[in-house]
Amino acid sequence: MAKEYVDIYTLKYLLYQVHGLDKLLETERYKDHDLASLDLFLDSVKEFSDRELYPYFKEMDQNPAQYQNGTVMVHKQVDVVMKKAGEMGIIAGPLDYDVGGLQIPFMIHTASTYIQEAANNHLPGYPGLTQGAAELIVHFGDDYLNKTYVPNMLAGKWGGTMCLTEPQAGSSLSDITTKAIPTQEGHYNIAGQKIFISGGDHQYAENIVHLLLARIEGAPSGTKGISLFVVPKNRVNKDGSLSKNDVHTVADFQKMGQRGYTTTHLGFGDSGDCRGWLVGEPHKGLKYMFLMMNSARISVGRGAAAISMAAYHASLQYAKERPQGRKLSSDGKKNPDEKPSLIIEHPDVRRMLLLQKAIAEGSLSLVLKAAKYYDLIQSTADKADKGKYRLLLEMIIPIVKAYPTEAGAIAVSNGLQVLGGYGYCNDFILQQYFRDIRIFSIYEGTTGIQSQDLLGRKIPLENGKALELLLTEILGTITLAMTFKDLHSQAKILGDKIKLTRKVLEFLTPFAKKGNYERYLADANLFMEFFAHVTIGWIWLEMAVRAQQSLEEKNQTYSKEFYESKIHSMKFYFKYELTKTLSLAESLMHDDTLTISDMRNIF
Amino acid sequence: MAKEYVDIYTLKYLLYQVHGLDKLLETERYKDHDLASLDLFLDSVKEFSDRELYPYFKEMDQNPAQYQNGTVMVHKQVDVVMKKAGEMGIIAGPLDYDVGGLQIPFMIHTASTYIQEAANNHLPGYPGLTQGAAELIVHFGDDYLNKTYVPNMLAGKWGGTMCLTEPQAGSSLSDITTKAIPTQEGHYNIAGQKIFISGGDHQYAENIVHLLLARIEGAPSGTKGISLFVVPKNRVNKDGSLSKNDVHTVADFQKMGQRGYTTTHLGFGDSGDCRGWLVGEPHKGLKYMFLMMNSARISVGRGAAAISMAAYHASLQYAKERPQGRKLSSDGKKNPDEKPSLIIEHPDVRRMLLLQKAIAEGSLSLVLKAAKYYDLIQSTADKADKGKYRLLLEMIIPIVKAYPTEAGAIAVSNGLQVLGGYGYCNDFILQQYFRDIRIFSIYEGTTGIQSQDLLGRKIPLENGKALELLLTEILGTITLAMTFKDLHSQAKILGDKIKLTRKVLEFLTPFAKKGNYERYLADANLFMEFFAHVTIGWIWLEMAVRAQQSLEEKNQTYSKEFYESKIHSMKFYFKYELTKTLSLAESLMHDDTLTISDMRNIF
């Protein structure tokens, strides 16, 4: 295990200097908070993570959560962390005062969870999903559901889950078949199977509150006939006591990574006695679920960003301590009598480390940007501004989900490579990060699904208004960067990438207009990669602008080297990563259609 | 587990039609063999792999080789496969008749091992390294060593290893410190530690013959003072009996993947009684070892190519069987009352499958190309031709090692993604391929080392002669492709890539000429990626030319669809992969030097 798993300085730099948390605190919603207290909160979360999360990271992998006799046995820290997360206000944090929340900015909540995930990504999902489930009840549930379930969930006493996927349907929610039959007593009888349920059961849970998608008898087919239910593992009797609700843990899924975070297969109503309570109106379940999906997708991007940061630190430490090989002298030879160099001296090792840094910090800043939009939607009084931030958030959500998870996996793989053979061995932690991060581009909608969302729904959103708003933001940063001589060249390059984006869309859009959606979306995955690079180019330029300003203002909050390193990483991103847009654009505007399904059999 | 793990038709197509094995059989060296008997041999290897390798693939992962009380306990199939490999002539196969070999073409040996590795990559290393160790003795050892060790090794009775790496030195062989002290009796006393020894010990081995690098007392420092020794686990007494040779298994390395293939830490001479026998002359150990390194590196590329092929088949089968989601209709919507599509109907799934196919088959053809050069060096009588093939082989070796291992890992990751959440679960095999293949870009020289070799040694080799020979070969294929209207466009593109290669080298070479090797080699890794793409573009165009010829000649050996699928995959490679050279060239010719080590502290 490495000495450090997170760069708390960069995290705070992004929060306070780049994304201007202070301005957010001037709004009505967040006026009770000040920077000093939030800063202390983050320090306390770091300390908590040092003590309760990081030390158990490896052993949770080695002793995975495991199905045993009808329940799942998880590591004891699940219990500790759930309760502490309740006590520390981590679960209730971002919720409104009137439902028992602390109304802390989502940016701070994001930073807090990021630290925990960097420390041990197997644990924060338990309180995290509990929070998500509680929020669904808060937003859409009636008074009875709120009173009955939410307080114990926010306190970390009861867990919460999201039950969407079914064995036969996978990502295709229109095919779910779990049944809900209305009863005279007001509740519904639930019957069906759900798989891939994160945190679906464990031995410490007094109760688990499942937010479940099901089809009310006679509902229309497809996504328009899906309703949302609260289905507790144990139902709450009038006197507050609990009794079983015919929810059974059928099995668990043993996985390649994130092995301490249980993934379960649940059966509902096997004995015909499972009760569910409708949340909101019938047939609107998917709509409710998707209103919460944005924060769920930010969470996944955040978790992957956190793992890539932790892996970066582990490989950086190794590179700084491990002597091996020698530098080339000017005759192209190496002198064996010289002392070996540290491997961080080798350019290729530095390249791998800088790649990790560029991806990890770029991902983090993108995630915080999304959290900021989220906060602005909540806190801005002006209706037009609210609408603007909502569109900006919608626009970047698929990228926030896809980029940190896809690029993060590459970053971690480079981190493993820095250690050579040791990186592949269980004695070193890199191989665990490598396995853990691989799930992030799958759950909460695969990269394929995010890409369809980006090109198929977000780019055309409100006739391209969301896209134009985002491009305007990017152009704003470019204009600012142009005022600094040292950033001039990269500012110009990013401007050219905006033009290239338009060119690519001009090539693709006619396919959609002609009704050939299959062709329009066939390379959506490449478009995601292309547009994510442009977006991260912007994110890095923004970081560099702030650093350059600080250098010129002789701002002493951070060292000169700190600011310079941000500009250096930006340049690295532009040289090694943003350049990829060139090839991607060429592929995207290629005339060959090789993946459309009605072609001859090619497999 | 999937029904199939290898595409034997494509393998034979490449051997017989693309790489013209028949011509090779006309040479003196291989005249005893004919296509029919070699074809039968491959079928018997496939049958052997079906029976003795593939069924144990998963359980060898789940019950890894494990150190216990001074030895390593491996799966029982290690014993079975070692002995069968001896009986079937797999170990002795490519060796000369006069040392007990069968003189089969290296191309066939490569195909045979490829099949075994696709079936179960945890097993073929045991006989494979034994063969490599035996070959070192055959080529450089004296009569005593040959008589004493080689027959039992070729028979699969005794194992063999290569002992290079030491704990303090890693990949830097100039820093090895294992000592060899001459004695009056002719042998040397050996003392030192070796790590990462594949197949270094197991309970079934009657004996293991270690080919070990050590430094004779008083030898010059660096790589010029390294000698090669035979150090058996048990020494052979005059009466043929065995007695212990003070070689101890200190520990093993538990790894993320390839867990059935033991990686050991060996101690030599802990009690001062470990004897080694010099191979060849003193101080020439590294030279001998490197003469064998080419085939070792081909082996690693081959193994990775095999895993990517097996993973492709597993994900292809899933995609053909799994219904999920629906195709978009012309209004951009999906009709939930329609039957779900098979996921292979979705363009993005087809893209992931075609990417796997393009990488897996491209890698295989490249590996067979290297094997063909290897055979031509052995079998060509003409001295100039021999020299030409030697240079061609030297030129492509780093690519043969790096491309299948790096691109293969991407291919397998795409295979895992095809299965969605199931891909991440232990019940499906993709996650095992994903873990297994990750070691291939590390051992036998990391991709970083291969890239330094390519740009630092191979490109300048004999004043660029090796490069020119390769480019001439590529231009030959382009000229041929130009004669087919359907291949014209891709032929032209590949021609442009040759020009781009020259342009990149014109940018880089001056740095080397001015003695700034650090700058010249700083982005060697990118150059590798660039040049490997050009090379695989050639490999695919060559495959497509042969397919197009067959189509026009109405050659019935394979179906029309088979030939068409090769041309389709070639086009896929050109659209989605070869395009990457554009961005890589831009990065390579970028003026920013961001990874050179004497810059300010940026981490």
Side-chain angles (χ1 to χ4, degrees):
Chain A
M1 300 281 281
K3 279 176 232 137
E4 198 44 271
Y5 54 84
V6 73
D7 175 358
I8 202 91
Y9 299 103
T10 290
L11 178 62
K12 290 184 174 180
Y13 169 72
L14 290 171
L15 284 170
Y16 307 155
Q17 293 208 10
V18 177
H19 295 295
L21 181 68
D22 48 340
K23 286 219 184 85
L24 202 65
L25 300 183
E26 293 165 10
T27 62
E28 181 63 23
R29 181 178 172 84
Y30 300 124
K31 69 174 166 30
D32 297 343
H33 300 287
D34 57 56
L35 274 186
S37 65
L38 293 175
D39 194 73
L40 274 176
F41 172 68
L42 290 182
D43 289 342
S44 73
V45 169
K46 174 67 166 65
E47 202 226 327
F48 165 64
S49 303
D50 285 349
R51 202 179 56 241
E52 302 291 357
L53 285 95
Y54 194 51
Y56 305 98
F57 181 49
K58 196 166 181 168
E59 63 184 61
M60 287 185 75
D61 177 63
Q62 289 169 334
N63 307 293
Q66 193 105 35
Y67 176 81
Q68 273 174 33
N69 307 319
T71 188
V72 176
M73 304 301 285
V74 297
H75 192 282
K76 67 176 174 51
Q77 281 311 101
V78 173
D79 192 37
V80 173
V81 163
M82 269 299 280
K83 286 179 179 142
K84 290 267 178 190
E87 281 168 29
M88 289 174 71
I90 287 174
I91 304 178
L95 274 75
D96 291 358
Y97 292 139
D98 60 7
V99 296
L102 305 171
Q103 227 161 285
I104 67 162
F106 193 63
M107 278 171 85
I108 288 294
H109 170 69
T110 299
S112 146
T113 319
Y114 172 84
I115 295 168
Q116 298 167 57
E117 281 163 334
N120 183 344
N121 72 81
H122 300 206
L123 283 167
Y126 293 96
L129 268 184
T130 302
Q131 180 185 72
E135 277 196 88
L136 268 176
I137 300 176
V138 163
H139 284 283
F140 309 111
D142 61 19
D143 206 47
Y144 165 74
L145 291 176
N146 269 279
K147 282 196 180 131
T148 309
Y149 296 103
V150 174
N152 278 328
M153 295 170 81
L154 299 188
K157 284 187 189 160
W158 293 356
T161 80
M162 308 285 189
C163 295
L164 286 75
T165 308
E166 297 180 3
Q168 80 294 345
S171 300
S172 177
L173 295 177
S174 66
D175 290 315
I176 70 173
T177 59
T178 294
K179 260 189 261 177
I181 301 169
T183 66
Q184 301 287 354
E185 295 88 27
H187 65 258
Y188 289 71
N189 283 327
I190 306 291
Q193 305 279 316
K194 294 284 179 179
I195 57 166
F196 294 153
I197 309 308
S198 298
D201 189 24
H202 59 82
Q203 80 272 31
Y204 298 112
E206 185 183 295
N207 203 1
I208 296 190
V209 184
H210 303 291
L211 274 285
L212 172 140
L213 293 180
R215 207 176 280 287
I216 298 174
E217 235 187 355
S221 65
T223 52
K224 283 174 191 157
I226 296 172
S227 305
L228 181 65
F229 296 87
V230 163
V231 187
K233 177 179 179 179
N234 298 308
R235 49 197 192 228
V236 187
N237 302 314
K238 279 188 183 142
D239 63 357
S241 64
L242 298 175
S243 54
K244 292 202 181 296
N245 190 35
D246 195 16
V247 176
H248 299 279
T249 304
V250 180
D252 68 349
F253 295 87
Q254 287 297 313
K255 312 182 302 285
M256 180 173 75
Q258 223 179 41
R259 294 155 61 86
Y261 189 28
T262 182
T263 307
T264 63
H265 177 169
L266 301 177
F268 295 88
D270 291 1
S271 313
D273 186 32
C274 176
R275 297 184 185 178
W277 284 264
L278 183 67
V279 178
E281 295 173 37
H283 314 326
K284 296 208 169 158
L286 211 62
K287 193 181 144 200
Y288 301 150
M289 196 57 99
F290 269 85
L291 284 169
M292 302 308 300
M293 199 54 97
N294 279 350
S295 64
R297 289 180 172 172
I298 295 174
S299 302
V300 176
R302 183 194 64 213
I307 294 174
S308 62
M309 175 66 87
Y312 166 59
H313 277 281
S315 64
L316 180 62
Q317 180 182 329
Y318 183 86
K320 284 178 170 176
E321 292 172 355
R322 169 78 179 175
Q324 191 179 303
R326 283 164 195 80
K327 292 185 64 168
L328 289 170
S329 58
S330 63
D331 60 354
K333 300 221 160 65
K334 299 169 184 174
N335 178 0
D337 297 324
E338 230 174 56
K339 231 181 92 193
S341 317
L342 295 173
I343 64 168
I344 200 169
E345 298 296 316
H346 299 303
D348 194 50
V349 172
R350 293 169 84 89
R351 184 188 59 77
M352 292 191 282
L353 292 169
L354 280 166
L355 179 62
Q356 291 183 74
K357 187 172 191 279
I359 291 172
E361 296 184 4
S363 295
L364 172 57
S365 191
L366 176 70
V367 166
L368 292 175
K369 170 80 79 182
K372 184 181 172 177
Y373 287 153
Y374 199 92
D375 279 327
L376 287 167
I377 295 167
Q378 310 257 1
S379 63
T380 306
D382 186 87
K383 212 181 150 188
D385 275 356
K386 221 185 247 297
K388 171 183 149 183
Y389 293 124
R390 188 164 282 140
L391 283 176
L392 281 167
L393 181 64
E394 287 294 334
M395 189 67 219
I396 66 169
I397 281 292
I399 306 169
V400 173
K401 162 67 169 74
Y403 178 82
T405 63
E406 291 282 345
I410 294 169
V412 175
S413 183
N414 275 273
L416 189 154
Q417 191 79 8
V418 165
L419 276 74
Y422 288 119
Y424 198 65
C425 292
N426 296 359
D427 284 346
F428 289 79
I429 203 68
L430 265 300
Q431 50 77 31
Q432 186 180 339
Y433 291 125
F434 181 78
R435 290 181 288 109
D436 284 352
I437 201 171
R438 187 62 186 81
I439 187 58
F440 286 74
S441 55
I442 297 173
Y443 59 20
E444 296 294 348
T446 63
T447 301
I449 288 172
Q450 303 304 322
S451 305
Q452 304 275 320
D453 182 47
L454 176 65
L455 188 59
R457 295 183 56 242
K458 301 306 171 61
I459 293 281
L461 191 61
E462 297 199 7
N463 282 317
K465 192 174 162 195
L467 174 66
E468 289 309 320
L469 282 171
L470 180 62
L471 295 183
T472 305
E473 295 287 299
I474 299 179
L475 286 168
T477 302
I478 292 173
T479 307
L480 205 54
M482 281 289 189
T483 64
F484 299 100
K485 198 171 141 259
D486 279 6
L487 307 179
H488 196 272
S489 139
Q490 282 83 11
K492 202 182 153 303
I493 287 168
L494 192 61
D496 291 342
K497 298 301 175 193
I498 301 287
K499 287 178 200 147
L500 188 57
T501 304
R502 294 197 188 281
K503 203 175 149 193
V504 167
L505 287 173
E506 276 160 25
F507 178 88
L508 291 176
T509 309
F511 293 113
K513 291 218 165 126
K514 276 179 254 163
N516 189 354
Y517 290 98
E518 192 171 40
R519 174 67 183 86
Y520 175 63
L521 292 173
D523 288 328
N525 210 291
L526 271 75
F527 183 78
M528 166 63 85
E529 208 183 323
F530 171 86
F531 196 59
H533 278 309
V534 176
T535 306
I536 301 294
W538 164 51
I539 289 289
W540 265 113
L541 192 63
E542 185 184 42
M543 256 194 274
V545 163
R546 202 66 202 87
Q548 189 68 38
Q549 282 172 336
S550 297
L551 281 172
E552 300 197 1
E553 291 162 4
K554 302 206 190 305
N555 179 321
Q556 309 275 317
T557 319
Y558 295 86
S559 70
K560 189 164 165 287
E561 287 72 24
F562 179 88
Y563 295 126
E564 284 173 349
S565 82
K566 296 304 171 215
I567 295 167
H568 192 90
S569 299
M570 179 277 289
K571 288 183 178 168
F572 182 92
Y573 191 85
F574 272 68
K575 171 174 174 178
Y576 290 92
E577 291 294 293
L578 187 60
T579 37
K580 289 180 178 165
T581 49
L582 208 61
S583 300
L584 289 161
E586 174 140 314
S587 299
L588 281 162
M589 295 189 286
H590 201 289
D591 285 324
D592 281 355
T593 51
L594 302 163
T595 55
I596 304 283
S597 58
D598 49 359
M599 300 189 61
R600 67 184 185 286
N601 187 11
I602 43 170
F603 293 104
Chain B
M1 301 283 280
K3 278 175 234 141
E4 197 44 272
Y5 54 83
V6 73
D7 175 359
I8 202 91
Y9 299 103
T10 291
L11 177 63
K12 290 184 175 179
Y13 170 71
L14 290 170
L15 283 170
Y16 306 154
Q17 293 209 9
V18 177
H19 295 295
L21 181 69
D22 49 338
K23 288 220 181 84
L24 202 65
L25 300 183
E26 293 165 10
T27 62
E28 181 64 24
R29 180 176 172 84
Y30 300 124
K31 68 174 165 34
D32 297 343
H33 300 287
D34 57 58
L35 274 186
S37 65
L38 293 175
D39 195 71
L40 275 177
F41 171 68
L42 290 183
D43 289 342
S44 73
V45 169
K46 174 68 166 65
E47 202 226 326
F48 166 64
S49 303
D50 285 348
R51 202 179 55 241
E52 302 291 356
L53 286 95
Y54 194 52
Y56 305 97
F57 181 49
K58 194 164 183 171
E59 64 183 62
M60 288 186 75
D61 177 64
Q62 289 170 333
N63 307 293
Q66 193 105 34
Y67 176 80
Q68 275 174 31
N69 308 321
T71 188
V72 176
M73 304 302 284
V74 296
H75 192 282
K76 67 175 175 48
Q77 281 310 101
V78 173
D79 192 37
V80 174
V81 165
M82 269 297 282
K83 284 177 181 147
K84 290 266 177 191
E87 282 170 28
M88 289 173 70
I90 287 174
I91 304 178
L95 274 75
D96 291 358
Y97 292 138
D98 60 7
V99 296
L102 305 172
Q103 228 159 287
I104 68 163
F106 193 63
M107 278 172 86
I108 289 293
H109 170 69
T110 300
S112 146
T113 320
Y114 173 83
I115 296 168
Q116 297 168 57
E117 281 163 333
N120 183 343
N121 73 81
H122 301 205
L123 282 167
Y126 292 97
L129 268 183
T130 302
Q131 179 185 73
E135 277 196 89
L136 269 175
I137 299 175
V138 162
H139 284 283
F140 308 111
D142 61 18
D143 206 47
Y144 165 74
L145 290 177
N146 269 281
K147 281 198 180 131
T148 310
Y149 295 103
V150 173
N152 278 329
M153 294 170 83
L154 298 188
K157 284 187 189 160
W158 293 356
T161 80
M162 309 285 189
C163 295
L164 286 76
T165 309
E166 297 180 4
Q168 80 294 342
S171 299
S172 177
L173 295 176
S174 66
D175 290 315
I176 71 172
T177 59
T178 294
K179 261 188 262 178
I181 300 169
T183 66
Q184 302 286 355
E185 294 89 27
H187 65 259
Y188 289 71
N189 282 327
I190 306 291
Q193 305 278 316
K194 295 284 179 180
I195 58 167
F196 294 153
I197 308 308
S198 297
D201 188 25
H202 59 82
Q203 80 271 30
Y204 299 112
E206 184 181 296
N207 203 1
I208 297 191
V209 184
H210 303 291
L211 275 285
L212 172 139
L213 293 181
R215 206 176 280 286
I216 298 172
E217 235 184 357
S221 64
T223 52
K224 284 175 191 157
I226 296 172
S227 304
L228 181 64
F229 296 88
V230 163
V231 187
K233 178 180 177 177
N234 297 308
R235 48 198 195 228
V236 187
N237 303 314
K238 281 190 180 138
D239 62 359
S241 64
L242 299 175
S243 54
K244 291 201 180 298
N245 190 33
D246 195 16
V247 176
H248 299 278
T249 304
V250 180
D252 68 349
F253 294 87
Q254 286 297 313
K255 312 183 299 287
M256 180 172 75
Q258 223 178 41
R259 294 155 62 87
Y261 189 28
T262 182
T263 308
T264 63
H265 177 168
L266 301 177
F268 295 87
D270 291 1
S271 312
D273 186 31
C274 177
R275 297 183 186 179
W277 285 263
L278 184 66
V279 178
E281 295 172 38
H283 313 325
K284 297 208 168 159
L286 212 60
K287 193 182 145 199
Y288 300 149
M289 196 56 99
F290 269 85
L291 284 170
M292 302 309 299
M293 199 54 95
N294 279 351
S295 63
R297 288 180 171 171
I298 294 175
S299 302
V300 176
R302 184 194 63 213
I307 294 174
S308 61
M309 177 66 88
Y312 166 59
H313 277 281
S315 64
L316 180 62
Q317 181 182 329
Y318 183 85
K320 284 179 169 176
E321 292 173 354
R322 167 77 178 175
Q324 190 178 304
R326 283 162 195 82
K327 293 185 62 170
L328 288 169
S329 59
S330 63
D331 60 354
K333 301 221 159 63
K334 298 170 186 173
N335 178 1
D337 297 324
E338 230 173 55
K339 232 182 91 192
S341 317
L342 294 173
I343 65 169
I344 199 169
E345 298 296 316
H346 300 303
D348 193 51
V349 171
R350 293 169 85 89
R351 184 188 59 78
M352 292 191 282
L353 291 169
L354 281 166
L355 179 62
Q356 291 183 72
K357 186 171 191 281
I359 291 172
E361 295 184 4
S363 295
L364 172 58
S365 191
L366 175 70
V367 165
L368 291 176
K369 170 81 77 181
K372 182 181 174 179
Y373 288 153
Y374 199 92
D375 278 327
L376 287 167
I377 295 166
Q378 310 257 0
S379 62
T380 305
D382 186 86
K383 211 180 154 189
D385 275 355
K386 224 187 244 301
K388 170 183 148 182
Y389 292 124
R390 189 165 280 137
L391 283 175
L392 280 167
L393 181 64
E394 287 294 334
M395 188 68 218
I396 66 168
I397 281 291
I399 305 169
V400 173
K401 163 66 170 74
Y403 179 81
T405 64
E406 291 282 347
I410 293 169
V412 175
S413 183
N414 274 273
L416 188 154
Q417 192 78 11
V418 166
L419 276 73
Y422 288 119
Y424 196 66
C425 292
N426 295 359
D427 283 346
F428 289 79
I429 203 68
L430 266 300
Q431 50 78 31
Q432 185 179 340
Y433 291 125
F434 181 79
R435 289 181 289 109
D436 284 351
I437 201 172
R438 188 61 187 81
I439 187 59
F440 286 74
S441 55
I442 296 174
Y443 58 20
E444 295 297 345
T446 62
T447 301
I449 287 172
Q450 303 305 323
S451 304
Q452 304 275 318
D453 182 47
L454 175 65
L455 188 59
R457 295 182 56 243
K458 300 304 170 61
I459 293 281
L461 192 62
E462 297 198 10
N463 282 319
K465 192 174 163 194
L467 174 66
E468 290 307 322
L469 282 170
L470 180 62
L471 295 183
T472 305
E473 294 288 300
I474 299 179
L475 286 168
T477 302
I478 292 173
T479 307
L480 206 53
M482 282 289 190
T483 64
F484 298 99
K485 198 172 142 261
D486 279 5
L487 307 178
H488 197 271
S489 140
Q490 282 83 11
K492 201 182 154 301
I493 288 169
L494 192 61
D496 291 342
K497 298 301 174 192
I498 303 288
K499 287 178 200 146
L500 188 57
T501 304
R502 295 199 188 280
K503 203 174 148 194
V504 167
L505 286 172
E506 276 161 25
F507 178 89
L508 290 176
T509 309
F511 293 112
K513 292 218 164 125
K514 277 178 256 165
N516 189 355
Y517 290 98
E518 193 172 39
R519 173 68 184 86
Y520 176 63
L521 292 173
D523 288 328
N525 210 288
L526 271 73
F527 183 78
M528 167 63 86
E529 208 184 322
F530 171 87
F531 197 59
H533 277 310
V534 176
T535 306
I536 301 295
W538 164 52
I539 290 289
W540 265 112
L541 191 62
E542 185 184 42
M543 253 192 276
V545 163
R546 201 65 200 86
Q548 189 68 39
Q549 282 172 336
S550 298
L551 281 173
E552 300 196 2
E553 291 162 5
K554 304 206 189 303
N555 179 320
Q556 309 275 320
T557 318
Y558 296 87
S559 70
K560 190 164 165 286
E561 287 71 25
F562 179 89
Y563 296 126
E564 283 174 348
S565 83
K566 297 303 172 216
I567 295 167
H568 193 89
S569 300
M570 177 278 288
K571 288 184 178 167
F572 182 92
Y573 191 85
F574 272 68
K575 171 174 175 177
Y576 290 92
E577 292 294 295
L578 187 61
T579 37
K580 289 181 178 163
T581 49
L582 207 61
S583 300
L584 289 160
E586 172 140 314
S587 300
L588 281 161
M589 296 189 285
H590 201 289
D591 285 324
D592 281 354
T593 51
L594 302 164
T595 56
I596 306 283
S597 60
D598 50 359
M599 300 191 58
R600 67 186 186 286
N601 186 9
I602 43 167
F603 292 104

